[in-house]
Amino acid sequence: MPNAGLAYTVLGRAAENERILDAVSNHLNSTPSGTVDVVVDDLAPLAVREGVDSAVTFVDGLLERGRGRAARIAIGCSFEASGELLSRAGARVDSVVGTEVAAAVERLSRDDPTTFGYVRRHWAEAKRGIEACDRNYPQSKQVHAALMEPETTPRTLGATLSGLVTLGALDTWGNTVGSTRYDLTAYRPDRTWAVGAALAATDSDD
């Protein structure tokens, strides 16, 4: 293909789903099976415009046309996408990644690999701790105390929470002296799901 192996078609912002799917089919029909990756850069605008069900139906149509022909199908979702969209789309395709979140995860991996490692291993436990904690501005040890049979320690959980702050899923409370307190009123669960999806994509690339 031209453009360093990238095939693209400009359909316009108002293109109907079926027209997009037909364009994908045309590209797949013109190449050997298993040689093309299909990537949708952002599914969230469709979900906002037409609803999550419509977006998932689009993904199903993409899978139907790509089955046995596409090497891999990946869906991008900006972090504003709902957790429902992320989970339902992610259950169908090879990967689903928040587009802006993926870049943030990559930056963390490059700039602070130690914290990235903690987030990569423990983000799901940190999410459970945040959601189980009944304090608005806890320290990491208080989030840790809310967990049942944690794999983390208060220190490693604190490093994970710090990484989630860097990734925009959480915030710190500034009016404190001493140990960091986290502002759970600013917790963003959908952003956290997108972080998890982006981390899963890095795992699959290893």
Side-chain angles (χ1 to χ4, degrees):
M1 295 179 192
N3 303 304
L6 175 65
Y8 64 91
T9 300
V10 178
L11 298 173
R13 294 175 62 87
E16 295 181 354
N17 292 354
E18 200 64 29
R19 188 179 174 206
I20 297 170
L21 294 172
D22 286 345
V24 171
S25 291
N26 289 338
H27 282 302
L28 291 174
N29 289 337
S30 64
T31 59
S33 295
T35 61
V36 175
D37 288 343
V38 177
V39 179
V40 177
D41 64 345
D42 195 355
L43 190 64
L46 174 60
V48 170
R49 186 173 66 246
E50 299 183 15
V52 171
D53 286 344
S54 179
V56 172
T57 297
F58 171 78
V59 171
D60 288 339
L62 195 63
L63 289 171
E64 181 180 349
R65 286 160 174 78
R67 187 177 295 114
R69 291 188 286 174
R72 179 172 175 267
I73 297 177
I75 300 293
C77 281
S78 52
F79 72 83
E80 290 86 356
S82 69
E84 179 188 4
L85 175 60
L86 290 170
S87 62
R88 289 176 64 186
R92 288 165 162 78
V93 298
D94 295 302
S95 63
V96 54
V97 179
T99 53
E100 187 273 337
V101 174
V105 167
E106 184 178 354
R107 284 194 302 273
L108 182 64
S109 174
R110 181 183 64 246
D111 298 342
D112 190 350
T114 299
T115 298
F116 170 78
Y118 285 123
V119 176
R120 190 180 197 178
R121 287 191 296 272
H122 302 307
W123 74 271
E125 182 161 303
K127 181 179 185 297
R128 289 196 301 273
I130 290 167
E131 294 174 357
C133 186
D134 60 2
R135 297 171 180 262
N136 287 336
Y137 307 105
Q139 298 175 9
S140 60
K141 64 182 181 181
Q142 293 166 327
V143 177
H144 189 265
L147 287 163
M148 299 291 292
E149 300 182 355
E151 295 181 0
T152 57
T153 65
R155 185 187 68 81
T156 58
L157 182 64
T160 306
L161 293 172
S162 175
L164 290 176
V165 170
T166 300
L167 294 171
L170 190 61
D171 206 349
T172 56
W173 188 48
N175 300 325
T176 184
V177 176
S179 298
T180 301
R181 290 184 179 272
Y182 296 92
D183 183 359
L184 301 196
T185 67
Y187 169 58
R188 301 165 68 186
D190 287 348
R191 176 84 172 191
T192 307
W193 275 119
V195 166
L199 290 167
T202 65
D203 289 340
S204 66
D205 290 340
D206 288 347

